[in-house]
């Protein structure tokens, strides 16, 4: 456990340093100044660069009659979580760890209202064709770069154990995604672990091969979460946003060429990388039901064992709300 630098510490630092936060928020491409919408029906949507589908709504400046979605783009994910915690945005999207730790750090001040289907192909271990690494067992004695704060980290340890290895048998380099990509592309490490589109970018840049994925070990999903005040004060707007998310996921999956042409220049990833990402990502939203919550609760205990979250004993039925399940299906109007 000496290798671990916990997600909890990183997120707590971000969320307790609001005064130093510099929000790199940008207006949506092509957005029109002044909507004329009533302030009570406005939802301020924080858009992450590195994953998910809110970027599709942002790039399209997607709106629904009767409401105003006001988009802000955050290249840095922890800045987005801090903005949500401090009330500078109403809605965010992220990984399950980001949601859970933000819930903890805000004393239950946020809840998830929607969640994607699992995206088992979105996370993987990459190796270069000339690495000589043909199986997970071949990682013994190799340098592997990734993050001990990521949700895939326990799954990677399990992957090693399935091959009779442990962390002591490899050199795990704990790094943030940007530095990890550079280390891998420049040949300082032998294998790279991350999440799309970072994984797809590294794969495309180096012609790498997928050594292994984590889909058989755990479900990787992306929740959409909002402040409690927003959920309580503007439920109809969240209903509209939930359907808008479902519609735009459906649009992106069924129009991959348009998706990559639209998003590549805005996110700063190549079209090839985004094409890989959309081809192996989530294909829709899933209901927040007992099966989902029970499985997620069990995996939360694993996060606690690896110090990835500070309180693994919280009840995820308090973190997720089922109030918007009926709206998590496409309406067919996003084309």
């Amino acid at each position: 456990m000496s290798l671990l630098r916990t997600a909890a510490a990183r997120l707590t630092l971000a969320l307790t340093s609001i005064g130093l936060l510099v929000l790199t928020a940008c207006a949506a491409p092509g957005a029109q100044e002044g909507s004329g919408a009533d302030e009570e029906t406005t939802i301020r949507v924080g858009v992450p660069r590195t994953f998910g589908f809110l970027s599709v709504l942002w790039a399209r400046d997607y709106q629904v009659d009767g409401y105003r979605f006001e988009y802000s783009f955050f290249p840095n994910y922890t800045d987005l979580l801090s903005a949500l915690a401090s009330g500078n945005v109403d809605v965010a999207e992220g990984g399950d760890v980001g949601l859970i730790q933000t819930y903890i750090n805000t004393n239950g001040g946020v809840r998830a209202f929607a969640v994607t289907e699992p995206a088992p192909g979105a996370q993987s271990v990459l190796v270069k064709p000339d690495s000589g690494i043909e199986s997970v067992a071949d990682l013994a004695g190799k340098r592997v770069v990734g993050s001990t704060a990521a949700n895939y980290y326990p799954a990677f340890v399990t992957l090693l154990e399935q091959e009779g290895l442990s962390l002591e048998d490899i050199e795990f380099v704990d790094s943030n995604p940007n530095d990890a990509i550079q280390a891998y592309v420049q040949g300082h490490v032998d294998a790279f672990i991350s999440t799309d589109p970072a994984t797809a970018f590294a794969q495309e840049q180096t012609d790498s091969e997928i050594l292994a994925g984590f889909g058989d070990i755990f479900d990787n999903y992306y929740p959409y979460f909002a402040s409690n005040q927003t959920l309580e004060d503007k439920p109809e707007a969240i209903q509209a946003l939930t359907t808008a998310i479902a519609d735009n996921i459906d649009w992106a999956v069924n129009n991959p060429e348009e998706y990559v042409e639209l998003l590549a220049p805005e996110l700063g990833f190549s079209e090839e990388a985004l094409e890989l990402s959309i081809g192996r990502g989530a294909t829709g939203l899933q209901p927040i039901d007992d099966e989902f919550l029970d499985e997620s609760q069990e995996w939360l205990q694993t996060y606690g064992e690896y110090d990835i979250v500070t309180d693994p004993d919280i009840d995820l039925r308090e973190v997720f709300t089922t109030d918007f399940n009926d709206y998590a299906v496409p309406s067919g109007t996003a084309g």
Side-chain angles (χ1 to χ4, degrees), residues 211-297:
L211 180 69
F214 308 114
D216 292 335
I217 300 174
F218 87 116
D219 286 338
N220 176 52
Y221 58 80
Y222 300 101
Y224 298 84
F225 40 107
S227 66
N228 287 343
Q229 182 174 355
T230 300
L231 294 172
E232 293 169 2
D233 294 349
K234 304 178 181 180
E236 293 182 352
I238 294 297
Q239 292 170 6
L241 179 61
T242 302
T243 301
I245 294 168
D247 279 335
N248 279 270
I249 295 175
D250 186 62
W251 175 86
V253 169
N254 287 290
N255 298 275
E257 292 184 3
E258 293 180 52
Y259 165 82
V260 299
E261 290 176 4
L262 176 68
L263 269 295
E266 302 299 342
L267 298 181
F269 290 107
S270 69
E271 291 189 5
E272 292 79 7
L274 291 183
E275 184 176 4
L276 285 172
S277 297
I278 194 65
R280 59 197 186 198
T283 59
L285 299 177
Q286 64 173 313
I288 300 171
D289 55 20
D290 287 339
E291 180 180 1
F292 167 79
L293 291 168
D294 289 343
E295 291 177 357
S296 299
Q297 191 76 50

Side-chain angles (χ1 to χ4, degrees), residues 144-220:
V144 181
V145 67
S147 173
T148 59
N151 65 350
Y152 61 70
Y153 183 69
F156 175 66
V157 176
T158 298
L159 201 64
L160 292 175
E161 292 172 346
Q162 290 174 345
E163 297 296 326
L165 301 177
S166 69
L167 287 171
E168 284 69 30
D169 295 309
I170 67 169
E171 182 181 348
F172 191 88
V173 180
D174 189 15
S175 179
N176 65 67
N178 289 336
D179 290 344
I181 289 176
Q182 292 302 314
Y184 180 66
V185 170
Q186 295 172 8
H188 300 309
V189 295
D190 303 295
F192 172 74
I193 314 172
S194 192
T195 302
D196 281 338
T199 307
F201 174 79
Q203 186 177 1
E204 182 258 331
Q205 289 288 305
T206 60
D207 196 30
S208 289
E209 302 168 348
I210 295 177
L211 180 69
F214 308 114
D216 292 335
I217 300 174
F218 87 116
D219 286 338
N220 176 52

Side-chain angles (χ1 to χ4, degrees), residues 32-114:
Q32 300 298 313
E33 292 292 335
S35 65
D38 188 280
E39 186 177 354
E40 292 184 354
T41 64
T42 297
I43 298 291
R44 299 169 300 164
V45 180
V47 179
R49 173 179 183 259
T50 49
F51 43 66
F53 292 94
L54 286 181
S55 57
V56 180
L57 283 77
W58 165 67
R60 302 178 80 193
D61 191 23
Y62 194 84
Q63 303 295 332
V64 175
D65 288 345
Y67 306 98
R68 176 65 186 170
F69 302 145
E70 188 177 280
Y71 299 103
S72 296
F73 178 63
F74 291 83
N76 187 298
Y77 177 49
T78 55
D79 286 352
L80 170 57
L81 297 182
S82 296
L84 178 65
S86 62
N88 287 309
V89 298
D90 302 315
V91 170
E93 168 186 43
D96 55 345
V97 170
L99 161 66
I100 292 166
Q101 195 58 46
T102 303
Y103 175 89
I104 294 168
N105 289 343
T106 59
N107 296 314
V110 303
R111 298 187 77 187
F113 59 88

